[in-house]
PDB file of all heavy atoms in Angstrom:
ATOM      1  N   MET A   1      25.899 -33.697 -11.968  1.00 88.00           N
ATOM      2  CA  MET A   1      25.008 -33.247 -10.890  1.00 88.00           C
ATOM      3  C   MET A   1      24.590 -31.786 -11.118  1.00 88.00           C
ATOM      4  O   MET A   1      23.427 -31.465 -11.122  1.00 88.00           O
ATOM      5  CB  MET A   1      25.748 -33.361  -9.551  1.00 88.00           C
ATOM      6  CG  MET A   1      24.864 -33.009  -8.351  1.00 88.00           C
ATOM      7  SD  MET A   1      23.564 -34.240  -8.100  1.00 88.00           S
ATOM      8  CE  MET A   1      22.763 -33.508  -6.662  1.00 88.00           C
ATOM      9  N   LEU A   2      25.589 -30.915 -11.324  1.00 93.00           N
ATOM     10  CA  LEU A   2      25.270 -29.504 -11.528  1.00 93.00           C
ATOM     11  C   LEU A   2      24.434 -29.317 -12.795  1.00 93.00           C
ATOM     12  O   LEU A   2      23.519 -28.497 -12.831  1.00 93.00           O
ATOM     13  CB  LEU A   2      26.567 -28.687 -11.656  1.00 93.00           C
ATOM     14  CG  LEU A   2      27.287 -28.443 -10.322  1.00 93.00           C
ATOM     15  CD1 LEU A   2      28.618 -27.742 -10.572  1.00 93.00           C
ATOM     16  CD2 LEU A   2      26.438 -27.601  -9.384  1.00 93.00           C
ATOM     17  N   LYS A   3      24.738 -30.109 -13.825  1.00 95.00           N
ATOM     18  CA  LYS A   3      23.980 -29.978 -15.074  1.00 95.00           C
ATOM     19  C   LYS A   3      22.518 -30.353 -14.846  1.00 95.00           C
ATOM     20  O   LYS A   3      21.617 -29.692 -15.367  1.00 95.00           O
ATOM     21  CB  LYS A   3      24.593 -30.899 -16.133  1.00 95.00           C
ATOM     22  CG  LYS A   3      23.925 -30.738 -17.493  1.00 95.00           C
ATOM     23  CD  LYS A   3      24.567 -31.661 -18.533  1.00 95.00           C
ATOM     24  CE  LYS A   3      23.929 -31.428 -19.894  1.00 95.00           C
ATOM     25  NZ  LYS A   3      22.498 -31.815 -19.874  1.00 95.00           N
ATOM     26  N   ALA A   4      22.281 -31.390 -14.058  1.00 96.00           N
ATOM     27  CA  ALA A   4      20.905 -31.803 -13.776  1.00 96.00           C
ATOM     28  C   ALA A   4      20.169 -30.691 -13.033  1.00 96.00           C
ATOM     29  O   ALA A   4      19.021 -30.382 -13.336  1.00 96.00           O
ATOM     30  CB  ALA A   4      20.908 -33.086 -12.948  1.00 96.00           C
ATOM     31  N   ILE A   5      20.835 -30.093 -12.056  1.00 95.00           N
ATOM     32  CA  ILE A   5      20.211 -29.010 -11.291  1.00 95.00           C
ATOM     33  C   ILE A   5      19.916 -27.832 -12.212  1.00 95.00           C
ATOM     34  O   ILE A   5      18.857 -27.220 -12.147  1.00 95.00           O
ATOM     35  CB  ILE A   5      21.141 -28.570 -10.132  1.00 95.00           C
ATOM     36  CG1 ILE A   5      21.271 -29.717  -9.122  1.00 95.00           C
ATOM     37  CG2 ILE A   5      20.582 -27.326  -9.455  1.00 95.00           C
ATOM     38  CD1 ILE A   5      22.319 -29.464  -8.057  1.00 95.00           C
ATOM     39  N   ALA A   6      20.859 -27.521 -13.107  1.00 96.00           N
ATOM     40  CA  ALA A   6      20.661 -26.414 -14.042  1.00 96.00           C
ATOM     41  C   ALA A   6      19.468 -26.701 -14.950  1.00 96.00           C
ATOM     42  O   ALA A   6      18.672 -25.807 -15.235  1.00 96.00           O
ATOM     43  CB  ALA A   6      21.918 -26.209 -14.872  1.00 96.00           C
ATOM     44  N   ASP A   7      19.329 -27.954 -15.386  1.00 97.00           N
ATOM     45  CA  ASP A   7      18.197 -28.312 -16.255  1.00 97.00           C
ATOM     46  C   ASP A   7      16.886 -28.130 -15.502  1.00 97.00           C
ATOM     47  O   ASP A   7      15.898 -27.656 -16.062  1.00 97.00           O
ATOM     48  CB  ASP A   7      18.337 -29.770 -16.716  1.00 97.00           C
ATOM     49  CG  ASP A   7      19.438 -29.908 -17.752  1.00 97.00           C
ATOM     50  OD1 ASP A   7      19.781 -28.886 -18.371  1.00 97.00           O
ATOM     51  OD2 ASP A   7      19.947 -31.026 -17.938  1.00 97.00           O
ATOM     52  N   VAL A   8      16.870 -28.513 -14.223  1.00 97.00           N
ATOM     53  CA  VAL A   8      15.643 -28.376 -13.416  1.00 97.00           C
ATOM     54  C   VAL A   8      15.273 -26.902 -13.291  1.00 97.00           C
ATOM     55  O   VAL A   8      14.122 -26.518 -13.472  1.00 97.00           O
ATOM     56  CB  VAL A   8      15.835 -29.011 -12.025  1.00 97.00           C
ATOM     57  CG1 VAL A   8      14.658 -28.653 -11.118  1.00 97.00           C
ATOM     58  CG2 VAL A   8      15.969 -30.534 -12.155  1.00 97.00           C
ATOM     59  N   PHE A   9      16.271 -26.075 -12.971  1.00 96.00           N
ATOM     60  CA  PHE A   9      15.995 -24.642 -12.819  1.00 96.00           C
ATOM     61  C   PHE A   9      15.529 -24.046 -14.147  1.00 96.00           C
ATOM     62  O   PHE A   9      14.647 -23.190 -14.188  1.00 96.00           O
ATOM     63  CB  PHE A   9      17.250 -23.909 -12.329  1.00 96.00           C
ATOM     64  CG  PHE A   9      17.387 -23.938 -10.836  1.00 96.00           C
ATOM     65  CD1 PHE A   9      18.440 -24.626 -10.237  1.00 96.00           C
ATOM     66  CD2 PHE A   9      16.461 -23.283 -10.040  1.00 96.00           C
ATOM     67  CE1 PHE A   9      18.568 -24.654  -8.851  1.00 96.00           C
ATOM     68  CE2 PHE A   9      16.581 -23.305  -8.656  1.00 96.00           C
ATOM     69  CZ  PHE A   9      17.635 -23.992  -8.055  1.00 96.00           C
ATOM     70  N   ARG A  10      16.111 -24.523 -15.250  1.00 97.00           N
ATOM     71  CA  ARG A  10      15.720 -24.013 -16.564  1.00 97.00           C
ATOM     72  C   ARG A  10      14.270 -24.380 -16.854  1.00 97.00           C
ATOM     73  O   ARG A  10      13.501 -23.565 -17.359  1.00 97.00           O
ATOM     74  CB  ARG A  10      16.639 -24.593 -17.651  1.00 97.00           C
ATOM     75  CG  ARG A  10      16.473 -23.861 -18.973  1.00 97.00           C
ATOM     76  CD  ARG A  10      17.483 -24.373 -20.006  1.00 97.00           C
ATOM     77  NE  ARG A  10      18.846 -24.079 -19.622  1.00 97.00           N
ATOM     78  CZ  ARG A  10      19.782 -25.000 -19.401  1.00 97.00           C
ATOM     79  NH1 ARG A  10      19.473 -26.291 -19.507  1.00 97.00           N
ATOM     80  NH2 ARG A  10      20.992 -24.652 -19.077  1.00 97.00           N
ATOM     81  N   ALA A  11      13.882 -25.603 -16.510  1.00 97.00           N
ATOM     82  CA  ALA A  11      12.509 -26.048 -16.739  1.00 97.00           C
ATOM     83  C   ALA A  11      11.539 -25.242 -15.876  1.00 97.00           C
ATOM     84  O   ALA A  11      10.490 -24.799 -16.337  1.00 97.00           O
ATOM     85  CB  ALA A  11      12.383 -27.539 -16.420  1.00 97.00           C
ATOM     86  N   ILE A  12      11.900 -25.028 -14.605  1.00 97.00           N
ATOM     87  CA  ILE A  12      11.045 -24.252 -13.701  1.00 97.00           C
ATOM     88  C   ILE A  12      10.921 -22.815 -14.213  1.00 97.00           C
ATOM     89  O   ILE A  12       9.843 -22.230 -14.233  1.00 97.00           O
ATOM     90  CB  ILE A  12      11.617 -24.276 -12.274  1.00 97.00           C
ATOM     91  CG1 ILE A  12      11.538 -25.699 -11.707  1.00 97.00           C
ATOM     92  CG2 ILE A  12      10.860 -23.303 -11.380  1.00 97.00           C
ATOM     93  CD1 ILE A  12      12.264 -25.853 -10.382  1.00 97.00           C
ATOM     94  N   GLY A  13      12.048 -22.247 -14.641  1.00 96.00           N
ATOM     95  CA  GLY A  13      12.026 -20.877 -15.156  1.00 96.00           C
ATOM     96  C   GLY A  13      11.130 -20.772 -16.379  1.00 96.00           C
ATOM     97  O   GLY A  13      10.361 -19.817 -16.514  1.00 96.00           O
ATOM     98  N   GLY A  14      11.194 -21.752 -17.259  1.00 96.00           N
ATOM     99  CA  GLY A  14      10.359 -21.730 -18.449  1.00 96.00           C
ATOM    100  C   GLY A  14       8.887 -21.814 -18.086  1.00 96.00           C
ATOM    101  O   GLY A  14       8.050 -21.114 -18.655  1.00 96.00           O
ATOM    102  N   ALA A  15       8.550 -22.673 -17.119  1.00 96.00           N
ATOM    103  CA  ALA A  15       7.155 -22.821 -16.696  1.00 96.00           C
ATOM    104  C   ALA A  15       6.659 -21.523 -16.074  1.00 96.00           C
ATOM    105  O   ALA A  15       5.548 -21.071 -16.359  1.00 96.00           O
ATOM    106  CB  ALA A  15       7.037 -23.969 -15.691  1.00 96.00           C
ATOM    107  N   ILE A  16       7.475 -20.910 -15.231  1.00 96.00           N
ATOM    108  CA  ILE A  16       7.083 -19.653 -14.584  1.00 96.00           C
ATOM    109  C   ILE A  16       6.879 -18.569 -15.643  1.00 96.00           C
ATOM    110  O   ILE A  16       5.904 -17.818 -15.603  1.00 96.00           O
ATOM    111  CB  ILE A  16       8.152 -19.220 -13.559  1.00 96.00           C
ATOM    112  CG1 ILE A  16       8.151 -20.187 -12.374  1.00 96.00           C
ATOM    113  CG2 ILE A  16       7.878 -17.794 -13.083  1.00 96.00           C
ATOM    114  CD1 ILE A  16       9.293 -19.950 -11.402  1.00 96.00           C
ATOM    115  N   ALA A  17       7.793 -18.503 -16.602  1.00 95.00           N
ATOM    116  CA  ALA A  17       7.679 -17.488 -17.665  1.00 95.00           C
ATOM    117  C   ALA A  17       6.379 -17.688 -18.436  1.00 95.00           C
ATOM    118  O   ALA A  17       5.680 -16.726 -18.751  1.00 95.00           O
ATOM    119  CB  ALA A  17       8.875 -17.596 -18.597  1.00 95.00           C
ATOM    120  N   THR A  18       6.030 -18.934 -18.734  1.00 94.00           N
ATOM    121  CA  THR A  18       4.806 -19.213 -19.482  1.00 94.00           C
ATOM    122  C   THR A  18       3.582 -18.784 -18.679  1.00 94.00           C
ATOM    123  O   THR A  18       2.682 -18.122 -19.192  1.00 94.00           O
ATOM    124  CB  THR A  18       4.700 -20.712 -19.797  1.00 94.00           C
ATOM    125  OG1 THR A  18       5.850 -21.091 -20.537  1.00 94.00           O
ATOM    126  CG2 THR A  18       3.451 -21.013 -20.608  1.00 94.00           C
ATOM    127  N   VAL A  19       3.563 -19.142 -17.383  1.00 94.00           N
ATOM    128  CA  VAL A  19       2.413 -18.799 -16.529  1.00 94.00           C
ATOM    129  C   VAL A  19       2.287 -17.296 -16.362  1.00 94.00           C
ATOM    130  O   VAL A  19       1.181 -16.760 -16.336  1.00 94.00           O
ATOM    131  CB  VAL A  19       2.574 -19.475 -15.148  1.00 94.00           C
ATOM    132  CG1 VAL A  19       1.518 -18.954 -14.175  1.00 94.00           C
ATOM    133  CG2 VAL A  19       2.469 -20.997 -15.297  1.00 94.00           C
ATOM    134  N   VAL A  20       3.429 -16.605 -16.275  1.00 93.00           N
ATOM    135  CA  VAL A  20       3.394 -15.154 -16.062  1.00 93.00           C
ATOM    136  C   VAL A  20       2.962 -14.414 -17.325  1.00 93.00           C
ATOM    137  O   VAL A  20       2.209 -13.448 -17.247  1.00 93.00           O
ATOM    138  CB  VAL A  20       4.787 -14.656 -15.609  1.00 93.00           C
ATOM    139  CG1 VAL A  20       4.852 -13.129 -15.661  1.00 93.00           C
ATOM    140  CG2 VAL A  20       5.084 -15.147 -14.188  1.00 93.00           C
ATOM    141  N   THR A  21       3.418 -14.888 -18.491  1.00 94.00           N
ATOM    142  CA  THR A  21       3.108 -14.171 -19.727  1.00 94.00           C
ATOM    143  C   THR A  21       1.705 -14.475 -20.258  1.00 94.00           C
ATOM    144  O   THR A  21       1.118 -13.641 -20.939  1.00 94.00           O
ATOM    145  CB  THR A  21       4.132 -14.520 -20.816  1.00 94.00           C
ATOM    146  OG1 THR A  21       4.176 -15.951 -20.966  1.00 94.00           O
ATOM    147  CG2 THR A  21       5.511 -14.006 -20.448  1.00 94.00           C
ATOM    148  N   LEU A  22       1.150 -15.646 -19.913  1.00 93.00           N
ATOM    149  CA  LEU A  22      -0.177 -15.997 -20.432  1.00 93.00           C
ATOM    150  C   LEU A  22      -1.253 -14.978 -20.065  1.00 93.00           C
ATOM    151  O   LEU A  22      -1.989 -14.521 -20.939  1.00 93.00           O
ATOM    152  CB  LEU A  22      -0.573 -17.396 -19.939  1.00 93.00           C
ATOM    153  CG  LEU A  22      -0.080 -18.532 -20.837  1.00 93.00           C
ATOM    154  CD1 LEU A  22      -0.408 -19.878 -20.206  1.00 93.00           C
ATOM    155  CD2 LEU A  22      -0.693 -18.443 -22.226  1.00 93.00           C
ATOM    156  N   PRO A  23      -1.390 -14.577 -18.785  1.00 90.00           N
ATOM    157  CA  PRO A  23      -2.419 -13.585 -18.419  1.00 90.00           C
ATOM    158  C   PRO A  23      -2.226 -12.273 -19.165  1.00 90.00           C
ATOM    159  O   PRO A  23      -3.194 -11.658 -19.601  1.00 90.00           O
ATOM    160  CB  PRO A  23      -2.221 -13.396 -16.915  1.00 90.00           C
ATOM    161  CG  PRO A  23      -1.500 -14.624 -16.459  1.00 90.00           C
ATOM    162  CD  PRO A  23      -0.647 -15.045 -17.624  1.00 90.00           C
ATOM    163  N   PHE A  24      -0.962 -11.842 -19.310  1.00 90.00           N
ATOM    164  CA  PHE A  24      -0.703 -10.578 -20.009  1.00 90.00           C
ATOM    165  C   PHE A  24      -1.129 -10.691 -21.464  1.00 90.00           C
ATOM    166  O   PHE A  24      -1.693  -9.752 -22.030  1.00 90.00           O
ATOM    167  CB  PHE A  24       0.786 -10.225 -19.916  1.00 90.00           C
ATOM    168  CG  PHE A  24       1.169  -9.720 -18.558  1.00 90.00           C
ATOM    169  CD1 PHE A  24       1.942 -10.494 -17.708  1.00 90.00           C
ATOM    170  CD2 PHE A  24       0.739  -8.470 -18.136  1.00 90.00           C
ATOM    171  CE1 PHE A  24       2.295 -10.025 -16.443  1.00 90.00           C
ATOM    172  CE2 PHE A  24       1.081  -7.988 -16.876  1.00 90.00           C
ATOM    173  CZ  PHE A  24       1.865  -8.776 -16.029  1.00 90.00           C
ATOM    174  N   ARG A  25      -0.882 -11.840 -22.078  1.00 89.00           N
ATOM    175  CA  ARG A  25      -1.299 -12.031 -23.470  1.00 89.00           C
ATOM    176  C   ARG A  25      -2.822 -11.989 -23.573  1.00 89.00           C
ATOM    177  O   ARG A  25      -3.381 -11.397 -24.491  1.00 89.00           O
ATOM    178  CB  ARG A  25      -0.792 -13.384 -23.992  1.00 89.00           C
ATOM    179  CG  ARG A  25       0.718 -13.378 -24.248  1.00 89.00           C
ATOM    180  CD  ARG A  25       1.151 -14.724 -24.806  1.00 89.00           C
ATOM    181  NE  ARG A  25       2.604 -14.839 -24.883  1.00 89.00           N
ATOM    182  CZ  ARG A  25       3.225 -15.957 -25.210  1.00 89.00           C
ATOM    183  NH1 ARG A  25       2.533 -17.047 -25.475  1.00 89.00           N
ATOM    184  NH2 ARG A  25       4.538 -15.998 -25.276  1.00 89.00           N
ATOM    185  N   ALA A  26      -3.506 -12.625 -22.623  1.00 90.00           N
ATOM    186  CA  ALA A  26      -4.970 -12.641 -22.641  1.00 90.00           C
ATOM    187  C   ALA A  26      -5.508 -11.228 -22.464  1.00 90.00           C
ATOM    188  O   ALA A  26      -6.420 -10.802 -23.178  1.00 90.00           O
ATOM    189  CB  ALA A  26      -5.497 -13.552 -21.517  1.00 90.00           C
ATOM    190  N   VAL A  27      -4.929 -10.469 -21.533  1.00 90.00           N
ATOM    191  CA  VAL A  27      -5.382  -9.090 -21.303  1.00 90.00           C
ATOM    192  C   VAL A  27      -5.120  -8.242 -22.538  1.00 90.00           C
ATOM    193  O   VAL A  27      -5.971  -7.460 -22.957  1.00 90.00           O
ATOM    194  CB  VAL A  27      -4.658  -8.491 -20.070  1.00 90.00           C
ATOM    195  CG1 VAL A  27      -4.928  -6.991 -19.973  1.00 90.00           C
ATOM    196  CG2 VAL A  27      -5.118  -9.206 -18.796  1.00 90.00           C
ATOM    197  N   ALA A  28      -3.937  -8.411 -23.133  1.00 90.00           N
ATOM    198  CA  ALA A  28      -3.605  -7.638 -24.332  1.00 90.00           C
ATOM    199  C   ALA A  28      -4.580  -7.973 -25.452  1.00 90.00           C
ATOM    200  O   ALA A  28      -5.029  -7.093 -26.195  1.00 90.00           O
ATOM    201  CB  ALA A  28      -2.174  -7.953 -24.765  1.00 90.00           C
ATOM    202  N   ARG A  29      -4.948  -9.238 -25.562  1.00 89.00           N
ATOM    203  CA  ARG A  29      -5.893  -9.651 -26.615  1.00 89.00           C
ATOM    204  C   ARG A  29      -7.272  -9.032 -26.348  1.00 89.00           C
ATOM    205  O   ARG A  29      -7.943  -8.555 -27.255  1.00 89.00           O
ATOM    206  CB  ARG A  29      -5.987 -11.178 -26.643  1.00 89.00           C
ATOM    207  CG  ARG A  29      -6.772 -11.690 -27.843  1.00 89.00           C
ATOM    208  CD  ARG A  29      -6.774 -13.199 -27.874  1.00 89.00           C
ATOM    209  NE  ARG A  29      -5.428 -13.752 -28.046  1.00 89.00           N
ATOM    210  CZ  ARG A  29      -5.148 -15.035 -27.946  1.00 89.00           C
ATOM    211  NH1 ARG A  29      -6.104 -15.903 -27.655  1.00 89.00           N
ATOM    212  NH2 ARG A  29      -3.914 -15.466 -28.130  1.00 89.00           N
ATOM    213  N   LEU A  30      -7.673  -9.016 -25.057  1.00 88.00           N
ATOM    214  CA  LEU A  30      -8.972  -8.442 -24.705  1.00 88.00           C
ATOM    215  C   LEU A  30      -8.990  -6.952 -25.037  1.00 88.00           C
ATOM    216  O   LEU A  30      -9.905  -6.454 -25.688  1.00 88.00           O
ATOM    217  CB  LEU A  30      -9.232  -8.632 -23.195  1.00 88.00           C
ATOM    218  CG  LEU A  30      -9.756 -10.027 -22.816  1.00 88.00           C
ATOM    219  CD1 LEU A  30      -9.811 -10.158 -21.299  1.00 88.00           C
ATOM    220  CD2 LEU A  30     -11.136 -10.264 -23.402  1.00 88.00           C
ATOM    221  N   PHE A  31      -7.962  -6.226 -24.581  1.00 87.00           N
ATOM    222  CA  PHE A  31      -7.906  -4.787 -24.844  1.00 87.00           C
ATOM    223  C   PHE A  31      -7.776  -4.530 -26.345  1.00 87.00           C
ATOM    224  O   PHE A  31      -8.355  -3.587 -26.875  1.00 87.00           O
ATOM    225  CB  PHE A  31      -6.727  -4.160 -24.090  1.00 87.00           C
ATOM    226  CG  PHE A  31      -7.058  -3.886 -22.643  1.00 87.00           C
ATOM    227  CD1 PHE A  31      -6.457  -4.618 -21.635  1.00 87.00           C
ATOM    228  CD2 PHE A  31      -7.974  -2.900 -22.322  1.00 87.00           C
ATOM    229  CE1 PHE A  31      -6.771  -4.370 -20.303  1.00 87.00           C
ATOM    230  CE2 PHE A  31      -8.284  -2.645 -20.991  1.00 87.00           C
ATOM    231  CZ  PHE A  31      -7.687  -3.378 -19.984  1.00 87.00           C
ATOM    232  N   GLY A  32      -7.006  -5.369 -27.025  1.00 85.00           N
ATOM    233  CA  GLY A  32      -6.840  -5.198 -28.470  1.00 85.00           C
ATOM    234  C   GLY A  32      -8.176  -5.386 -29.176  1.00 85.00           C
ATOM    235  O   GLY A  32      -8.558  -4.597 -30.032  1.00 85.00           O
ATOM    236  N   GLY A  33      -8.935  -6.411 -28.815  1.00 79.00           N
ATOM    237  CA  GLY A  33     -10.233  -6.648 -29.439  1.00 79.00           C
ATOM    238  C   GLY A  33     -11.216  -5.540 -29.086  1.00 79.00           C
ATOM    239  O   GLY A  33     -11.964  -5.077 -29.932  1.00 79.00           O
ATOM    240  N   ALA A  34     -11.181  -5.065 -27.837  1.00 75.00           N
ATOM    241  CA  ALA A  34     -12.093  -4.003 -27.409  1.00 75.00           C
ATOM    242  C   ALA A  34     -11.803  -2.725 -28.176  1.00 75.00           C
ATOM    243  O   ALA A  34     -12.710  -2.051 -28.653  1.00 75.00           O
ATOM    244  CB  ALA A  34     -11.936  -3.760 -25.913  1.00 75.00           C
ATOM    245  N   SER A  35     -10.527  -2.388 -28.324  1.00 74.00           N
ATOM    246  CA  SER A  35     -10.165  -1.157 -29.033  1.00 74.00           C
ATOM    247  C   SER A  35     -10.540  -1.291 -30.506  1.00 74.00           C
ATOM    248  O   SER A  35     -10.988  -0.342 -31.134  1.00 74.00           O
ATOM    249  CB  SER A  35      -8.673  -0.878 -28.898  1.00 74.00           C
ATOM    250  OG  SER A  35      -7.922  -1.880 -29.539  1.00 74.00           O
ATOM    251  N   ASP A  36     -10.393  -2.485 -31.067  1.00 68.00           N
ATOM    252  CA  ASP A  36     -10.728  -2.690 -32.474  1.00 68.00           C
ATOM    253  C   ASP A  36     -12.234  -2.473 -32.687  1.00 68.00           C
ATOM    254  O   ASP A  36     -12.647  -1.773 -33.602  1.00 68.00           O
ATOM    255  CB  ASP A  36     -10.355  -4.111 -32.916  1.00 68.00           C
ATOM    256  CG  ASP A  36      -8.852  -4.232 -33.111  1.00 68.00           C
ATOM    257  OD1 ASP A  36      -8.191  -3.184 -33.230  1.00 68.00           O
ATOM    258  OD2 ASP A  36      -8.339  -5.355 -33.142  1.00 68.00           O
ATOM    259  N   THR A  37     -13.064  -3.039 -31.807  1.00 68.00           N
ATOM    260  CA  THR A  37     -14.511  -2.889 -31.944  1.00 68.00           C
ATOM    261  C   THR A  37     -14.903  -1.453 -31.693  1.00 68.00           C
ATOM    262  O   THR A  37     -15.789  -0.911 -32.362  1.00 68.00           O
ATOM    263  CB  THR A  37     -15.248  -3.825 -30.962  1.00 68.00           C
ATOM    264  OG1 THR A  37     -14.745  -3.586 -29.648  1.00 68.00           O
ATOM    265  CG2 THR A  37     -15.055  -5.269 -31.329  1.00 68.00           C
ATOM    266  N   ALA A  38     -14.272  -0.777 -30.742  1.00 65.00           N
ATOM    267  CA  ALA A  38     -14.593   0.618 -30.445  1.00 65.00           C
ATOM    268  C   ALA A  38     -14.292   1.485 -31.662  1.00 65.00           C
ATOM    269  O   ALA A  38     -15.080   2.335 -32.051  1.00 65.00           O
ATOM    270  CB  ALA A  38     -13.768   1.094 -29.241  1.00 65.00           C
ATOM    271  N   HIS A  39     -13.142   1.252 -32.279  1.00 67.00           N
ATOM    272  CA  HIS A  39     -12.781   2.039 -33.455  1.00 67.00           C
ATOM    273  C   HIS A  39     -13.740   1.726 -34.599  1.00 67.00           C
ATOM    274  O   HIS A  39     -14.075   2.597 -35.398  1.00 67.00           O
ATOM    275  CB  HIS A  39     -11.340   1.712 -33.884  1.00 67.00           C
ATOM    276  CG  HIS A  39     -10.320   2.347 -32.983  1.00 67.00           C
ATOM    277  ND1 HIS A  39     -10.271   3.699 -32.771  1.00 67.00           N
ATOM    278  CD2 HIS A  39      -9.318   1.827 -32.238  1.00 67.00           C
ATOM    279  CE1 HIS A  39      -9.286   3.962 -31.922  1.00 67.00           C
ATOM    280  NE2 HIS A  39      -8.696   2.836 -31.589  1.00 67.00           N
ATOM    281  N   GLY A  40     -14.187   0.478 -34.677  1.00 61.00           N
ATOM    282  CA  GLY A  40     -15.085   0.110 -35.767  1.00 61.00           C
ATOM    283  C   GLY A  40     -16.459   0.761 -35.609  1.00 61.00           C
ATOM    284  O   GLY A  40     -17.076   1.141 -36.579  1.00 61.00           O
ATOM    285  N   ARG A  41     -16.932   0.911 -34.364  1.00 62.00           N
ATOM    286  CA  ARG A  41     -18.262   1.490 -34.137  1.00 62.00           C
ATOM    287  C   ARG A  41     -18.266   2.989 -34.424  1.00 62.00           C
ATOM    288  O   ARG A  41     -19.198   3.503 -34.988  1.00 62.00           O
ATOM    289  CB  ARG A  41     -18.679   1.254 -32.679  1.00 62.00           C
ATOM    290  CG  ARG A  41     -19.076  -0.209 -32.435  1.00 62.00           C
ATOM    291  CD  ARG A  41     -19.393  -0.441 -30.957  1.00 62.00           C
ATOM    292  NE  ARG A  41     -19.609  -1.858 -30.689  1.00 62.00           N
ATOM    293  CZ  ARG A  41     -19.655  -2.348 -29.470  1.00 62.00           C
ATOM    294  NH1 ARG A  41     -19.478  -1.582 -28.420  1.00 62.00           N
ATOM    295  NH2 ARG A  41     -19.859  -3.641 -29.292  1.00 62.00           N
ATOM    296  N   HIS A  42     -17.215   3.679 -34.004  1.00 61.00           N
ATOM    297  CA  HIS A  42     -17.215   5.138 -34.201  1.00 61.00           C
ATOM    298  C   HIS A  42     -16.768   5.430 -35.603  1.00 61.00           C
ATOM    299  O   HIS A  42     -15.796   5.929 -35.900  1.00 61.00           O
ATOM    300  CB  HIS A  42     -16.329   5.802 -33.145  1.00 61.00           C
ATOM    301  CG  HIS A  42     -16.908   5.647 -31.781  1.00 61.00           C
ATOM    302  ND1 HIS A  42     -18.080   6.252 -31.391  1.00 61.00           N
ATOM    303  CD2 HIS A  42     -16.509   4.931 -30.725  1.00 61.00           C
ATOM    304  CE1 HIS A  42     -18.351   5.925 -30.147  1.00 61.00           C
ATOM    305  NE2 HIS A  42     -17.403   5.105 -29.715  1.00 61.00           N
TER     306      HIS A  42
END
């Protein structure tokens, strides 16, 4: 019983971590691409 509950919490935690980190990765990619193009133009 406890193992099943632990597995559920682990799955929920993994999903939350994925949802939370995805926007940050997208923003980092946007800023990274913007800085790369800015450096390339100047």
Side-chain angles (χ1 to χ4, degrees):
M1 184 68 180
L2 284 175
K3 184 180 183 295
I5 294 171
D7 287 339
V8 170
F9 274 114
R10 193 175 295 119
I12 293 172
I16 291 172
T18 302
V19 171
V20 168
T21 54
L22 273 175
F24 285 109
R25 287 182 188 173
V27 170
R29 189 177 297 172
L30 279 173
F31 279 111
S35 65
D36 284 342
T37 53
H39 284 303
R41 286 176 187 167
H42 293 293

